[in-house]
Amino acid sequence: MSSPTVAALRQPGFWPDLVERYAIRLAARPQKVRAYRDALERGALEAATDDYESLRLEMARPSSRLINRSGGRKKTVYLFPPREDLFLKGINRALQPFAELHSPLCHSFQPGRGVRTAYAALRQIPDLGRLSCLHVDVRDYFASIPPERMLAGVPHPLADDQPFVSLLHGILCDPPGERRGVLAGSPLAPLLSNLYLRPLDDAFQAAGTPYLRYADDLIVFGDQTAMPALQAEITRRLGDLALELNPRKTRVSPPGGGWEFLGLRYEKGSLDLSSTTVAKMHHRVRRLARRAREREDPARYVVRRLNRKLYGAGGDASDFTWATWFFPLIGSDATLRRLDGVIQEQLRFAATGRHERRNRGALPYAGLVERGYLPLASAFRAFRRGPGEYEALVERRLGA
């Protein structure tokens, strides 16, 4: 049987187009872009495609790196060398037209899907405000997926794509016995994470139970009396996949009560930032302010780091930002204004080393603006007036 991935990789202009796409997305990482262009110019990608088709492709092993997560926890991510990284990005790109691989109840890591489509689907649930909500996620999901089970559960038409299956076996099972799951941080990990939980998605779709998933973040609705049975069903089906619920993140909301999902809180038909999102930002800005005390211009350092997270200034076009994730959905700037107060207080602490009222005189608002500070509430109001106004504001204030 012919390989759909090989057919896509051999389309005229596939590799040059892909490199140019990432040259734009990774404009802030010129060294990586140069490595991609070098691989293209040397013919390394066409050669890799030949080897991939003939099942002779040898991939360098990824390096691992620990990154910080909230609460002081660590997460291991895996990084491939440039040729391997770009080739795997090409495979991922080749599979994007296969929308049937994904459950319609899954909104993660697909073109045209994300937090906005997830909430659009949630709002279509009849009597949403009168139902109980069960919100769970999977413990250490990406690292816990057993490679052998992942390979055994690859859906059609990919299961018949011999080069693809061979590639997966090579990158997931080498070295044998090492617990790496689907290599979080690598280009194919999001796709594989979507596919592995497809049986759970299908079970809830067949039952007609209101359910939605984003990666390992699951939300289910029903009568309050049904919540224990629904949780038991999820636990059982995850166990069949050698996975476990994360009890620390299992929450049940009563009928009509607020619930949180994907960093947002839904209550009485309106959306705002979740308590977890707000707490994470508090922690982040305080940590940055303490770290900045040894810098030449501490407030400018903190502002620069925050602007990348909030608005993408100085970052990659593909980076997660608050503006792209939250602004299209939240209904007011009330929580943003409170966060602005916290951020301004911490910027002044970074500059003075004190938490005192006189800090406003030592570093007035105009001084914050001069260092590139853009309040969340101001950016949100500009966003609500239209993309043009928001982009003009960011360009004017941040030069982004």
Side-chain angles (χ1 to χ4, degrees):
M1 182 177 179
S2 62
S3 163
T5 52
V6 170
L9 298 181
R10 293 204 182 282
Q11 286 290 318
F14 179 89
W15 290 113
D17 289 347
L18 188 72
V19 169
E20 290 310 306
R21 175 184 295 267
Y22 279 99
I24 296 170
R25 294 179 64 178
L26 302 176
R29 302 172 67 182
Q31 186 175 356
K32 191 164 192 175
V33 174
R34 284 195 298 270
Y36 285 174
R37 292 194 191 282
D38 178 67
L40 179 66
E41 291 166 4
R42 290 187 291 106
L45 300 170
E46 287 81 0
T49 303
D50 292 340
D51 291 340
Y52 172 75
E53 183 176 21
S54 60
L55 311 184
R56 293 182 290 107
L57 179 63
E58 295 184 4
M59 300 279 283
R61 289 179 179 175
S63 60
S64 61
R65 179 183 299 174
L66 279 176
I67 61 173
N68 294 321
R69 301 185 70 182
S70 60
R73 295 172 296 133
K74 303 283 187 179
K75 175 184 177 180
T76 301
V77 297
Y78 295 89
L79 306 174
F80 281 92
R83 185 203 72 146
E84 283 78 1
D85 181 62
L86 185 56
F87 189 80
L88 293 175
K89 283 180 164 70
I91 295 292
N92 187 61
R93 175 72 177 168
L95 293 174
Q96 286 182 4
F98 292 86
E100 69 274 11
L101 295 173
H102 306 272
S103 165
L105 305 182
C106 176
H107 290 258
S108 49
F109 314 129
Q110 303 168 63
R113 308 212 95 191
V115 62
R116 277 173 271 188
T117 61
Y119 270 95
L122 288 171
R123 291 182 184 277
Q124 297 302 311
I125 296 173
D127 297 321
L128 179 63
R130 300 179 183 177
L131 299 176
S132 284
C133 171
L134 170 64
H135 182 198
V136 303
D137 82 352
V138 182
R139 187 200 301 270
D140 202 15
Y141 178 47
F142 281 63
S144 297
I145 297 175
E148 297 78 9
R149 290 200 180 202
M150 179 75 250
L151 288 163
V154 171
H156 295 285
L158 297 186
D160 298 322
D161 189 327
Q162 190 75 24
F164 179 74
V165 173
S166 177
L167 173 71
L168 282 192
H169 189 278
I171 63 175
L172 298 183
C173 301
D174 183 25
E178 188 173 318
R179 186 177 179 272
R180 303 188 303 173
V182 292
L183 304 176
S186 64
L188 290 182
L191 168 70
L192 299 180
S193 74
N194 274 4
L195 299 184
Y196 192 67
L197 280 181
R198 179 71 191 261
L200 179 65
D201 303 337
D202 290 345
F204 277 96
Q205 184 178 14
T209 304
Y211 160 100
L212 192 139
R213 176 166 71 89
Y214 190 100
D216 62 334
D217 216 356
L218 318 173
I219 195 163
V220 189
F221 297 88
D223 293 335
Q224 191 166 17
T225 56
M227 292 296 105
L230 288 171
Q231 183 172 337
E233 175 75 0
I234 293 173
T235 301
R236 181 184 68 79
R237 289 188 176 276
L238 289 178
D240 292 343
L241 295 168
L243 301 172
E244 298 178 351
L245 278 186
N246 184 345
R248 190 174 63 85
K249 294 187 176 180
T250 298
R251 298 179 291 278
V252 177
S253 300
W259 43 264
E260 298 185 353
F261 184 57
L262 302 181
L264 293 162
R265 179 174 180 81
Y266 178 94
E267 191 160 13
K268 297 179 180 178
S270 66
L271 285 172
D272 201 350
L273 301 179
S274 72
S275 58
T276 302
T277 298
V278 172
K280 284 181 178 179
M281 181 52 68
H282 281 205
H283 177 74
R284 181 182 184 87
V285 70
R286 286 169 180 154
R287 186 178 70 246
L288 284 173
R290 290 194 301 269
R291 186 186 302 166
R293 289 288 301 129
E294 304 302 319
R295 302 277 172 167
E296 181 178 351
D297 189 341
R300 190 181 298 276
Y301 169 82
V302 177
V303 166
R304 186 171 64 249
R305 297 292 299 272
L306 285 178
N307 284 346
R308 177 165 180 167
K309 182 72 171 179
L310 299 176
Y311 313 115
D316 300 337
S318 58
D319 286 347
F320 163 88
T321 70
W322 272 45
T324 55
W325 189 274
F326 297 127
F327 283 7
L329 289 167
I330 61 176
S332 80
D333 65 357
T335 301
L336 297 178
R337 284 186 278 110
R338 290 194 292 271
L339 273 175
D340 284 334
V342 172
I343 292 170
Q344 291 173 29
E345 176 187 352
Q346 291 299 320
L347 289 175
R348 292 181 172 115
F349 165 76
T352 67
R354 304 186 304 267
H355 286 293
E356 299 176 355
R357 285 189 176 182
R358 59 178 174 170
N359 278 357
R360 292 195 176 193
L363 183 56
Y365 183 79
L368 299 180
V369 172
E370 188 275 329
R371 286 164 173 80
Y373 172 63
L374 173 59
L376 281 163
S378 299
F380 171 71
R381 289 193 293 269
F383 185 93
R384 292 294 292 267
R385 289 193 295 269
E389 285 212 30
Y390 169 76
E391 291 165 7
L393 176 65
V394 172
E395 174 68 27
R396 184 171 67 253
R397 295 283 289 271
L398 311 185

